Amino acid sequence: ERCRKDLESAWNFDKMDILLSGKPALEGSADDVLKVLRESQKTKLEPEQEEALDAFAYDQLSKEGAIKETREFPELGVTRVEFANGLVLNFKATDFEKNSIQLQLRFGNGKIGMPKDKPGLELYAQTLVNGGGLEAHSAEDLERLFAGRSVGIGFAVEDDYFALVGKTRPEDLELQLKLLQASLLHPGYRAEAERQLDKVLPMMFDQM
């Protein structure tokens, strides 16, 4: 409450600067901009209503896989576990970063498997996957669902593999693994992710 009152006393519309930036030329004058501002100030604001969120739709891990072989590499400090379905786990404990677990899931063949006649497809793929959330939850929903938890996934297209990368802490590891599994099996290809890319592409081309 004290912060709100101090903000009200410090927020002086008589001393406000308005900055417009962008590529298109502005039609009209400064007076026109001020007119739009004054009209907007007449709008009655209502408190934001918190939407009720459903539970995480992918709260189950797949059944435990059968281990085919386990090998130790003491000189590297690495344990390698091969499962019957072909999945391979490489595990290494370090003291680089306390209370932190980093995960990377590699699959597919990355850029080398992409069509030669579709340059830039890796940028499109990364944007669509990272901005699309999951089938049952948008990216915004996931942020709200996992507020206060140390979980998250990023998708990347590398030269010879695709990667889902995450970082968590021991108490959130199970949830991180559920999110990792859901990101692989149930990605949410949403139109808003494509629209975001369409907006930034012209600026990217200008920078290039």
Side-chain angles (χ1 to χ4, degrees), residues 104-107 130 153-158 161-165:
Q104 184 180 83
L105 174 65
R106 296 184 178 187
F107 60 97
N130 284 319
I153 290 292
F155 173 74
V157 180
E158 303 296 345
Y161 63 88
F162 302 110
L164 287 169
V165 181

Side-chain angles (χ1 to χ4, degrees), residues 1 3 16 27 49 56 72 82 91-92 103 130 138 141 152 166 169 171-172 186 188 199 203 208:
E1 181 63 19
C3 288
M16 184 169 58
E27 295 182 4
Q49 300 297 318
F56 186 45
E72 300 288 345
E82 184 178 348
F91 173 78
K92 180 178 176 68
L103 306 95
N130 284 319
S138 68
D141 287 343
R169 55 194 179 190
E171 56 265 39
D172 290 327
H186 306 284
K199 289 180 180 178
M203 291 183 286
M208 292 175 186

